[in-house]
Amino acid sequence: MDFITNLDGNILLWIQEYLREDFLNPLIIFITNLGNAGMIWIAGAVVLLCIPKTRKAGALVILSLVISYIINNLILKSAVARPRPWVDVEGLSNLIGKPHDLSFPSGHASSSFAAAVVMYRMLPARCGVPAVILAAAIALSRLYVGVHYPTDVLFGTISGIAIALAVCRVSQKRKTHERKN
């Protein structure tokens, strides 16, 4: 476990040293803030709920976000209790205010991918592909600003994708079951 923790820390220090640029910082901070409390995804879901053809996608986005929040933010963060990286990685600075919750897993990554993958599966590519790109940008921004370890973001991403796929699959099975009856 120490090997992974050290590798995580070294990756963050490398990002800080070689990728951070003053001219990029405001853009990356803006992108990371889009994921705060899942608000960009909630707003997108509300829009989808208002359009009859996309109402089901909007409902599944909300469901995915709720499941992601319960599993990642309420259960796993408390169970794992991993401190934020700037606490343990000497020389690492973060570019935003210090979040008060724990680090593992990344709630931004999980909620972003939980919502975006539902959109990707349920909507035309012109909507789904940009959603996945935004999810990836939000997830990676968490490394750039120094508030998550790479493994936090990786697990959050995997978790979000798994939740979205499960929600879509259950919805599809339910639809198939309803047709049979």
Side-chain angles (χ1 to χ4, degrees), residues 35-116:
N36 289 353
M39 292 309 291
I40 190 76
W41 306 111
I42 293 168
V46 168
V47 170
L48 294 172
L49 287 168
C50 292
I51 303 168
K53 287 173 67 174
T54 61
R55 195 164 286 144
K56 182 176 179 181
L60 294 181
V61 167
I62 294 292
L63 180 59
S64 291
L65 289 170
V66 168
I67 293 169
S68 172
Y69 179 76
I70 291 168
I71 291 172
N72 292 293
N73 292 64
L74 297 181
I75 297 170
L76 289 176
K77 279 188 188 270
S78 298
V80 175
R82 187 179 199 185
R84 294 287 178 159
W86 68 80
V87 173
D88 294 327
V89 179
E90 191 171 326
L92 181 67
S93 62
N94 78 48
L95 299 179
I96 60 173
K98 296 182 177 181
H100 299 291
D101 62 345
L102 296 161
S103 195
F104 183 90
S106 168
H108 279 67
S110 180
S111 63
S112 292
F113 277 96

Side-chain angles (χ1 to χ4, degrees), residues 104-155:
F104 183 90
S106 168
H108 279 67
S110 180
S111 63
S112 292
F113 277 96
V117 170
V118 168
M119 291 176 179
Y120 181 81
R121 296 287 305 263
M122 307 257 334
L123 300 173
R126 71 179 184 277
C127 299
V129 170
V132 171
I133 292 170
L134 179 59
I138 290 171
L140 293 171
S141 74
R142 305 305 283 170
L143 303 174
Y144 185 94
V145 300
V147 296
H148 277 294
Y149 290 101
T151 50
D152 300 343
V153 171
L154 178 63
F155 186 86

